[in-house]
């Protein structure tokens, strides 16, 4: 047993060492040759062909991304790209099949096209990345985020209260499962952001949070591996006292601002911490499933026209997740109705995105079960023409549970009542519901995606209007809505989907059968955490979206 | 003693010549079979592009540019670091990012030229300096033939100055068969020089041995 543990730790150390530098790691595994530039008159571009040879002893996983970095001229950029890396670097995907690039093999003639309108001389570096490299980086981050002391200690948190604040100086793993006495437990991710003990001199910097996710590790059945439990591209939250005294009743609204890339930014206030979370908990069977929470964060300028003082900004952040007695029960004191499974390391937030992890796996277990890859942010077309509306009866439409990857709430149509906007980014479908009045409901699907932003709100409004029209014209919808009108939101959603055949993707059924997820979700119930003490009906939603 | 000095002098001379990059050079004989474009004669344009990939500098010289049979060159134009005429020789330096030479022509059965370049390898993030040959439609300025050039630029050949002896010559075929490009490497001057020196040295050694009793 000890030998196995040592071996696992040694392997992990090897991986961490290899993952210390993201791009260089894969660049060291390949040999890259490139041709000279040619002038492509058809595209008015300057093109180069690149050959990549796998000089490592193992196959490189597809897709293989070829990037041009360190371009020396500012007016020159890569065109015709296939995508961007998590760091925003454009890349061209090498044409590999699913087997990837075997050891010793080459892929030739990957074409990079440069737009160079001024025809200035330029140099560039060819870099190669692939999923293997990203996986190594995520593994290294997830491992490091649960070990050692914080990068800085949170200001205002009692350092001598080892009962409730033993997370002051270092991350902690808490429960491996919800207490057995909790018969219908639920779960939800959250995060905290503080000014460190030595203060924050920056005055024009905001903290941007994005992609708060909760994952569960399924160890049994046919769907082994990490499963996405909840995902919130945009989070909500409030400014709590640094020591959480007074909890939500003493919390003040946060100055939230929706950012163009889909995140939410906030200005931290002296003496307060920004405690953030998603809008719902998820029902959960206490089977000892390891959990992993994470988000991404970076610094953005508060006033875009103001000075850029992000380099001197000092803000730290950490994720966590809570088990709850059930989906709707409110906070009732420390560790009464909710307890966390882990609190991650407080790390500085930088100008570039960093990923923050909290999980309750051992290091050796983590090595075997590498963290899931970072998913792209769910995106929706701001163009209503990109959506295809269906007129199927409600009972035949997908259940909201399949759309609960993310939920946006807010007054999208400006009628003074909260609306709900669910989406399923695997299949690019959405469900538009309503919390206040129950007279509008429909679902739609679309295949066209583009960045989410303020225009999304307009799309939502349009979608709801279309849903209203559909409701007027379709007797089935009217009937279903009438039936559900007298129910509270969770029951209403369950009722509208309880009759007739459900069209679940097969993996949903298998996953729930093997991993024990309940089929209902209290999407309207507010989430709080062990540290939040937030009442269940604050309904913070995403009202701040309208401030822009 | 006498024999040892000759060997050392010869070795040092060879090593010195190889060490000086600018001394090394690449030379090719290029011919284009234009039968598919010469009957009936068409208004075409020959294009040579020389693109600077970064430091260090290189120079390409095109000489003996000749059109066979009834084909003929008409107006010519050069830009950037290109200069010269098809009647004499063309010189391309990488003083600007893109240097080029355009010559209107009526195709004959074939076209040929000699290509010589310095062989200074790219340093740092520089790409190899690159010389490419195209046949364009004189009216549209687009490539007249589609080649197997993977970039889609439809070059007939591309010569990269890699610093390795001979550079890297890529010849692309034209599936329609209208043009056939062939590039043949020429013996490099430096190797001729080394060969000559070696012969001289060998002869001296042989003569010295003969003098010894």
């Amino acid at each position: 047993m000890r030998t196995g543990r040592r071996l696992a730790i040694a392997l992990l150390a090897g991986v961490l060492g290899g993952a210390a530098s993201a791009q260089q790691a894969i660049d060291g595994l390949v040999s890259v040759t490139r041709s000279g530039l040619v002038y492509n008159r058809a595209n008015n571009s300057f093109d180069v062909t690149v050959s990549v040879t796998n000089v490592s002893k193992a196959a490189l996983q597809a897709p293989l991304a070829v990037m041009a970095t360190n371009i020396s001229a500012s007016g020159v950029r890569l065109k015709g790209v296939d995508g961007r890396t998590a760091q925003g670097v454009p890349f061209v995907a090498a044409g590999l099949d699913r087997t990837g690039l075997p050891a010793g093999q080459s892929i030739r003639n990957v074409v990079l096209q440069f737009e160079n309108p001024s025809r200035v001389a330029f140099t560039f570096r060819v870099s190669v990345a692939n999923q293997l490299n990203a996986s190594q980086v995520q593994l290294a981050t997830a491992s490091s985020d649960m070990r050692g002391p914080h990068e800085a200690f949170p200001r205002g948190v009692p350092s001598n209260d080892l009962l409730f604040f033993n997370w002051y100086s270092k991350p902690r793993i808490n429960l491996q499962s919800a207490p057995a006495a909790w018969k219908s437990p639920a779960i939800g991710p959250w995060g905290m952001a503080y000014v460190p003990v030595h203060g924050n001199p920056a005055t024009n910097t905001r903290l941007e949070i994005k992609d708060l996710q909760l994952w569960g590790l399924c160890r049994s059945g046919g769907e082994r591996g990490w499963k996405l439990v909840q995902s919130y591209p945009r989070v909500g939250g409030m400014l709590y006292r640094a020591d959480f005294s007074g909890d939500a009743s003493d919390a003040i609204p946060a100055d939230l601002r929706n950012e163009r890339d889909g995140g939410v930014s906030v200005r931290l206030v002296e003496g307060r911490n920004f405690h953030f979370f998603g809008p719902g908990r998820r029902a959960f069977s206490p089977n000892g499933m390891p959990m992993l929470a994470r988000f991404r964060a970076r610094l953005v300028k508060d006033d875009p026209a103001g000075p850029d003082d992000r380099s001197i900004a000092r803000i730290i952040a950490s994720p966590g997740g809570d088990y709850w007695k059930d989906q709707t029960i409110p906070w009732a004191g420390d560790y009464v109705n909710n307890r966390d499974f882990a609190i991650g390391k407080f790390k500085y937030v930088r100008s570039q995105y960093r990923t923050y992890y909290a999980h309750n796996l051992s290091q050796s277990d983590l090595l075997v079960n590498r963290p899931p890859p970072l998913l792209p942010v769910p995106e929706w077309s701001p163009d209503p023409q990109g959506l295809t509306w269906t007129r199927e009866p409600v009972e035949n439409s997908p259940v909201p549970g399949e759309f609960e990857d993310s939920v946006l709430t807010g007054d999208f149509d400006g009628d003074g009542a909260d609306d709900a906007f669910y989406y399923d980014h695997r299949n690019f479908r959405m469900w538009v519901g309503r919390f206040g009045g129950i007279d509008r409901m429909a679902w739609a699907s679309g295949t066209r995606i583009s960045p989410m932003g303020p225009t999304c709100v307009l799309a939502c409004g349009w979608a709801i209007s279309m849903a209203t029209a559909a409701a007027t014209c379709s007797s089935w919808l009217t009937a279903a809505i009438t039936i559900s009108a007298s129910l509270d939101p969770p029951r209403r959603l369950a009722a509208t989907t309880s009759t007739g055949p459900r069209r679940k993707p097969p993996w949903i059924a298998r996953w729930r059968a093997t991993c024990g997820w309940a089929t209902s979700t209290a999407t309207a119930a507010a989430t709080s955490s062990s540290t939040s003490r937030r009442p269940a009906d604050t309904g913070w939603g995403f009202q701040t979206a309208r401030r822009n | 003693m006498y024999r040892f000095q000759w060997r050392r002098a010869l070795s040092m001379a060879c090593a010195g010549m190889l060490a000086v990059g600018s001394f090394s050079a690449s030379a090719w004989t290029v011919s284009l079979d234009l039968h598919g474009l010469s009957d009936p004669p068409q208004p075409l344009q020959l294009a040579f592009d020389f693109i600077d990939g970064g430091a260090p500098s290189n120079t390409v010289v095109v000489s003996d540019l000749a059109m066979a049979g009834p084909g003929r060159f008409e107006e010519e134009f050069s830009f950037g670091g290109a200069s010269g005429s098809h009647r004499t020789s063309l010189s391309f330096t990488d003083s600007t990012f893109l240097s080029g030479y355009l010559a209107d022509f009526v195709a004959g059965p074939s076209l040929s030229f000699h290509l010589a370049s310095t062989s200074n390898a790219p340093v740092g993030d520089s790409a190899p300096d690159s010389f490419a040959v195209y046949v364009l439609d004189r009216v549209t300025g687009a490539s007249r033939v589609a080649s197997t050039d993977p970039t889609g630029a439809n070059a007939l050949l591309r010569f990269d100055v890699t610093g390795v002896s001979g550079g890297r010559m890529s010849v692309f075929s034209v599936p329609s068969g209208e043009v056939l490009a062939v590039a043949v490497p020429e013996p490099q001057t430096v190797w001729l020089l080394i060969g000559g020196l070696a012969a001289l040295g060998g002869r001296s050694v042989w003569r010295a041995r003969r003098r010894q009793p």
Side-chain angles (χ1 to χ4, degrees), chain A residues 33-43 46-49 69-70 109 111 113 116 119-125, chain B residues 47 49 51-54 97-98 102 124-130 132 134 136 141 149-153 158 160 168:
Chain A
T33 59
R34 53 178 165 167
S35 71
L37 291 157
V38 296
Y39 177 41
N40 189 330
R41 289 171 170 78
N43 298 333
F46 294 90
D47 303 348
V48 66
T49 57
T69 59
N70 289 21
N109 297 332
V111 179
Q113 297 181 322
N116 184 5
R119 297 188 177 181
V120 294
F122 66 97
T123 61
F124 58 96
R125 188 172 299 167
Chain B
D49 289 346
I51 296 183
D52 178 25
F97 173 64
L98 174 62
L102 299 169
D125 291 343
S126 297
D129 293 335
S130 170
Y134 306 82
L136 308 180
D149 176 4
T151 67
R158 186 191 69 238
D160 295 334
R168 182 172 54 217

Side-chain angles (χ1 to χ4, degrees), chain B residues 6-185:
Chain B
W6 261 107
R7 280 185 177 174
R8 190 169 65 174
L10 183 61
S11 303
M12 289 179 66
C14 293
M17 284 185 288
L18 290 173
V20 180
S22 59
F23 206 92
S24 63
S26 304
W28 296 79
T29 297
V30 177
S31 62
L32 302 180
D33 185 335
L34 301 174
H35 273 100
L37 299 176
S38 59
D39 188 19
Q42 302 173 36
L44 300 171
Q45 197 172 49
L46 178 68
F48 295 150
D49 289 346
F50 186 55
I51 296 183
D52 178 25
S57 295
N58 280 292
T59 301
V60 168
V61 175
V62 173
S63 58
D64 301 329
L65 181 57
M67 183 82 69
R72 65 182 183 281
F73 287 104
E74 297 175 342
E75 289 187 41
E76 59 184 354
F77 171 71
S78 57
F79 59 91
S83 60
S85 166
H86 72 274
R87 296 181 184 85
T88 55
S89 66
L90 300 166
S91 175
F92 299 84
T93 64
D94 53 5
S95 56
T96 61
F97 173 64
L98 174 62
S99 303
Y101 169 81
L102 299 169
D104 294 346
F105 73 98
V106 176
S110 67
L111 179 154
S112 64
F113 58 89
H114 292 288
L115 173 70
S117 87
T118 54
S119 296
N120 299 316
V123 295
D125 291 343
S126 297
D129 293 335
S130 170
F131 179 85
V133 178
Y134 306 82
V135 171
L136 308 180
D137 184 306
R138 195 188 301 181
V139 178
T140 65
S143 183
R144 172 60 183 79
V145 293
S147 76
T148 55
D149 176 4
T151 67
N154 292 318
L156 298 175
L157 61 89
R158 186 191 69 238
F159 175 72
D160 295 334
V161 184
T162 59
V164 178
S165 176
R168 182 172 54 217
M169 179 68 79
S170 303
V171 179
F172 306 111
S173 61
V174 176
S176 66
E178 293 170 294
V179 179
L180 177 64
V182 177
V184 179

